Amino acid sequence: MNNLKLFSEVPLGLKLRSNSEALQFSAFDIERNRLFFLSSDNSVYTIHLSSFHEKRAWSKSLASADVDTIDLEPGDFITSFDYLMEKEALIVGTLNGFLLLHSVDSNTTEVVGKVDGGVKCISPSPDGELLGIITGFGQNLVMTHDWELLYETALMDIPEDLDVSENFLADRFEYNICWRGDGKYFATISDVCNSMPSLKELKVWERDSGLLHASSEPKTFAGAVLEWIPNGAKIAAVYDRKVENECPSIVFFEKNGLERSKFSISEGNNAKVKVLMWNCSSDLLAGIVGCENYDAIKIWFLSNNHWYLKHEIRYVKKDNVKFMWNPTKPLQLICWTLGGQITVCNFVWVTAIIEDSTALVIDESNIYVTALSLSLMPPPMYLFSLKFPSLVRDMSVYCRNSKYQLAASLSNGCLCIVELPAVETWEELEEKEFNVEASHSKMAFGSILHVLWLDSCTLLAVSHYGFSHSMDFSKSSLNEGGFRGFYLQEIELECSEDLVPGILTCSGWHAKVSNQNSLEEVVISIAPNPASKHSACIQFSGGGIFEYVTRFGASRGSLEQEFQKFSSSCPWMSVVLPGNSLTSKPLLFGLDEIGRLHANGEIVCNNCSSFSFYSNLADGVITHLIFTTKQDLLFIVDIVDILAGELDMKYGNFVHISTRQREEESYNCINIWEKGAKIVGVIHGDEAAIILQTTRGNLECVYPRKLVLVSIINALVQKRFKAALHMVRRHRIDFNVIVDYCGWQAFSPSASEFICQVGNLSYITEFVCALKNENVIEKLYKNYVTVPCPEGANGMQGRDLQHSPAANKVYSVLMVIRKALEDHITESPGRELCILTTLAQSDPPLLEDALKRIKVIREMELSHADEQRRLSYPSAEEALKHLLWLADSDAVFEAALGLYDLNLAAIVALNAQRDPKEFLPLLQELEHMPTLLMQYSIDLRLKRSEKALRHIISAGDAHFGDCMTLMKNNPELFPLGLQLIADPAKRMPILEAWGDYLSNEKCFEDAATIYLSCCHLEKALKSYRACNNWSGVLTVAGFLNMGKEEVLHLAHELCEELQALGKPAEAAKIALEYCGDVNGCANLLVSARDWEEAIRVALMHRRQDLIKAVKDASLECAGALISEYEEGLEKVGKYLARYLAVRQRRLLLAAKVQAEEQAASDIDDDTASETSSNFSGMSAYTTGTKRSSVASVSSSATSKARDSRRQKKRGKIRPGSPGEELALVEHMKGMSLTVEARNELKSLLVCLVMFGEGETARKLQHMGENFQLSQMAAVRLADDTKSTDIMNEHTHTLEHYTGKVRTEMQNSEAFSWRAKVFFS
């Protein structure tokens, strides 16, 4: 599905010494990139290929070349000519048998040998070690490059009585030698003795021994045209079929001499194949075919066992054109004529599939048309064909505004136009062939290289005039004006026939050149500008991009440089519109010959082999770039990422690295299963397909998950639910995408539209069964797509949640689906089964509701009331079986019991195939119970405690004991029991039982409150004491009228308990208020570090001894805190220094690893080592978690043991461990002053001031402030360095950060404990 496009022709005229001189032979120097031409005057012209690389499109002056002369004996002339790379000289053979070695550099000629009968053919072996020579006597000589003869063999079996020295033999033979690519064999064609003159045979010879390896059957070969394909697979020759009244055929032989295949050249019977040549990549076969009025260079290509004629260049016969392939560039052809016109033709393979997924494959004078959107036909099959007067060289398609037009430039210089009907009608054209007439024109268009549509009536073409193959010699009127060179011309079209919609129009077209611009540089490619009508982008040699604006525009056919140039020439160029607005700037993509993919002047990928684009929008706006790499990887890139410059972050450098995580690669990258496959087309929109063509020629259609999801979400955003559902089913995508694309809250209002569009109840049932309570867009497909939430979706969520009975996705979505089914789908058995499915699949399953519907159906069947309506429902048995298939049979049986319908429960049990011995005794027992007790028993069985409580209470006072037992077994029922029971005598035991339960559950505060409500004061006192609520204990003691001694004893016990619990401040309050112990109160306040309260109590009771004790304790505490802060300062500095050292070494190691990975990414997968360094996660200088390609299996017990060990070791700093950095930071954060510590510090400062110890207070505040500043600065420094990979030794210091924290935090709450009187 590719076409061979000639994208540039670089002509050069060779200045010959005389008008009668003509070029006869050519040779190529691979090392120095030189061309040698030998003329009829024995002159050797040397030209460097760099002469053809100039940007100028046409040079009026002739090319200068180095000219040497080879002197020969009078009457002798040259018969063969080649270049020996090992000798760096030309080898020449003459009619008289001389072998000459001519050095171009020194202009010297040396005679190295002479053979009898003259030299007819010289052919060096591919490795340059041997030289094959055929003499005029039909002898084959093989010698070394030192001119030593290895062996001599006769090409044909000559009778003994025949003298090989007779001259008539020399005239009879045609000679040629072709070597296999590895040089182990060579082939010749020779006549067959004692047979018809036209019969010849192909012989294959062994290189080392000269023995005949194989020979073919005698065939009517045409001359000695012979060429061995470089890869050695086959030998090309030509059959002469004039006897059969057929044109010649090109035939292929194997090494064993057996014929493999052949094809006809499709020319007249008198046509002659003069020469055949393979290109260096063995995929193109070129030959010169002599026709009646012209000679043509034809290029064939094999795909899927069919030989396509892909290109043709015509020359007038008098030019006697010859050619050679560039030995190093497989798509460069060098043509030359007798008169010295040399043309370098550069080809590229372009896809035959255009934007609308239509394949237009060129073969000879045909274009095979296939609509891949209708059917994926493998080549060489096609839907219908268009037959043109001669071979199609280039074409362009216009498909806009319901118009579908094709323009084709032909090898004879004509231009053809075809208007096609809409693609949807092409199936009617299957297997038809349409003859296309050339457009009528009064002047020639020259030889058209590039052509495209500007609009439906105007073409833009790049043509050249004045070449031998410009094919304008039949129309000389234009040449009389002196036109020579390359021109950019607008061609206006008009059809004289009436255009009938739906009918293919291929005749009656008239064309005229309306505007011409001379070109001074070579045009590489042209592409239409989708952002502007009547304009195109033109790329010149070197990568320069200009915009051409037609004469209907503002600039009247002018060239304007508007776009950033490519860094090199890009034969493949596309211009796409990345935005959906006409004001959006177009994006230019180009691929050069070495695989660099350019986008707006920047290189996207360095190893690209083919690229295309995908659009999921109706207006053709491009959303994704798709390309393959030389490592056989297929990448899908969002255009938005290119515009945002996020390629490196999301896609890396598009080179597969063995150490890269495979899971992350798979999101944007696909491994191509066959080496060398390339993109030939993309099917846009909902189809979301990429068409690949393998090297064998067959087509493969892939559906990347990323594009499929994009097309599904695009359909959902446009509310095309039916199309989205079909895509989900076809590509096996999770059905939850339909609901999750913007959240189920956004989908719920559209449920009715979803049901109406889909219509198919089977599809809806499949969708319902697939729903689950998770967002697959955020989990399963989070790396594939970004969801474009529609406007209003977010505002919708709050309203929907308020009205949803259950705040989960499955329940809410199935509820709206069920309602939509009831409202919009006609009653039918299928609808009822679908509704039952929504009930069974709900979360939680609404089995009771489903059974209620089945019960209604059963009642309808038994009543025989409305027979017509009953037909709209399935049978009760069918509905029940459907429900049992969806849900667990035990759950359905329990749901039937929950309806208190024993008959329905029995039917469910029977249909569920349960053992009657299991369910019949139960149902019989329930049937004999009173209704309320039956319901109570069922509720207990189903663990429906609330319903059971209501039923047992309704059963009467006789069952109050069962009621109490039920509430004790289900404590959550106590509030409901108190609501349902109004009798105070029954409420008291309920309250006491509730209080006992709460007390057992350690909820002492609530238990005490409930005990108080039922007047159980002693239990209330015990509960308050259990929760250390001393005020509650002493309050209840008052209600119990306890004596003074009992209260005092209780107070002492409470005081001791609070001290033991570390609550000295509360114990001090009890000691002072209830025990009258002032000394104990003061000591407890000092222990609690409540310095101000301790002074107040001591002064209130005028106790000087207590005042002194408080003062001494405060001084002692201040000294201890000062020492603690000094030690803390030292630890902060130590921890921070260690953290910075570890962080610096980690960054250095990470940079080293990244450099090694970057170096590895430039190595091809075929040569890259599979061995890589994987850090185990046991070093302090590694980051992240090791992910090995070998699956590691560990038991859950081992994991739990490891976790427990980590918990025990948490808080320790282990040097060299992976968590050392984190542990250091956590230690520094844990050293911060708590709120309680700051309050105690503030109280201590006030106390010291009261006692006149101002200097001690000043020192304490200074040390505390320094410690707090250093701790906060160290933590901030650690946090800042964690988020950066750059360490600055000047700014990342403790002193710098301490100053910053001091400035920023002076008036913050954290430093409010300081006394202003001590501010420095």
Side-chain angles (χ1 to χ4, degrees), residues 589-609:
F589 288 86
L591 177 63
D592 60 23
E593 293 178 294
I594 62 174
R596 293 183 301 181
L597 181 60
H598 304 250
N600 269 21
E602 297 182 359
I603 295 177
V604 174
C605 177
N606 285 307
N607 59 342
C608 177
S609 58

Side-chain angles (χ1 to χ4, degrees), residues 805-1062:
N808 75 67
K809 167 185 148 185
V810 173
Y811 182 93
S812 303
V813 170
L814 292 185
M815 181 181 65
V816 295
I817 290 291
R818 186 163 55 252
K819 188 176 185 304
L821 286 169
E822 293 173 345
D823 294 343
H824 300 285
I825 302 296
T826 306
E827 287 185 347
S828 65
R831 188 196 79 159
E832 187 63 23
L833 294 178
C834 190
I835 292 175
L836 289 176
T837 304
T838 64
L839 293 168
Q841 294 296 123
S842 184
D843 186 16
L846 301 177
L847 298 179
E848 289 189 6
D849 292 344
L851 287 171
K852 288 177 182 178
R853 299 183 73 96
I854 295 174
K855 187 176 179 181
V856 171
I857 296 173
R858 178 64 178 165
E859 291 173 353
M860 272 196 296
E861 291 177 347
L862 295 175
S863 64
H864 303 287
D866 191 349
E867 190 68 23
Q868 186 64 32
R869 184 165 181 260
R870 192 185 67 78
L871 294 176
S872 300
Y873 289 85
S875 66
E877 182 180 3
E878 180 185 358
L880 184 56
K881 287 183 178 180
H882 181 76
L883 183 62
L884 288 169
W885 178 73
L886 292 170
D888 180 62
S889 59
D890 292 337
V892 178
F893 178 74
E894 291 178 356
L897 284 178
L899 294 176
Y900 313 117
D901 189 333
L902 301 182
N903 292 328
L904 182 60
I907 295 174
V908 170
L910 289 172
N911 280 277
Q913 297 182 350
R914 299 186 64 164
D915 189 354
K917 295 180 182 179
E918 295 179 1
F919 68 88
L920 277 180
L922 172 64
L923 297 180
Q924 290 172 355
E925 180 184 355
L926 292 173
E927 188 177 13
H928 291 92
M929 290 181 182
T931 301
L932 290 174
L933 290 182
M934 178 198 71
Q935 293 172 345
Y936 167 71
S937 300
I938 291 174
D939 292 335
L940 282 182
R941 179 182 177 86
L942 301 182
K943 298 180 181 180
R944 300 192 300 193
S945 304
E946 291 189 9
K947 289 187 176 183
L949 181 62
R950 293 178 185 274
H951 289 140
I952 198 63
I953 291 175
S954 301
D957 296 341
H959 300 283
F960 181 71
D962 294 332
C963 176
M964 286 296 297
T965 303
L966 180 60
M967 286 188 286
K968 288 179 181 180
N969 293 334
N970 300 277
E972 69 275 5
L973 296 178
F974 280 116
L976 179 60
L978 292 172
Q979 292 177 13
L980 298 175
I981 298 175
D983 188 357
K986 295 179 181 177
R987 290 173 64 89
M988 290 303 171
I990 295 175
L991 287 170
E992 184 179 0
W994 193 5
D996 293 342
Y997 165 74
L998 292 174
S999 181
N1000 293 332
E1001 293 294 319
K1002 311 297 184 185
C1003 301
F1004 297 112
E1005 289 279 357
D1006 294 333
T1009 304
I1010 292 176
Y1011 283 138
L1012 288 174
S1013 65
C1014 62
C1015 299
H1016 282 277
L1017 298 180
E1018 292 182 358
K1019 288 187 176 182
L1021 187 141
K1022 289 181 180 179
S1023 296
Y1024 277 132
R1025 190 163 184 177
C1027 65
N1028 301 309
N1029 187 340
W1030 61 269
S1031 61
V1033 172
L1034 294 172
T1035 301
V1036 174
F1039 281 113
L1040 288 172
N1041 295 320
M1042 296 178 68
K1044 185 176 181 181
E1045 291 299 327
E1046 291 179 317
V1047 172
L1048 182 60
H1049 178 71
L1050 182 61
H1052 279 295
E1053 290 181 350
L1054 290 173
C1055 191
E1056 291 175 1
E1057 291 175 4
L1058 290 172
Q1059 289 184 64
L1061 292 172

Side-chain angles (χ1 to χ4, degrees), residues 499-515:
L499 297 177
V500 180
I503 301 298
L504 190 145
T505 305
C506 51
S507 61
W509 290 92
H510 295 264
K512 67 176 181 178
V513 178
S514 60
N515 189 31

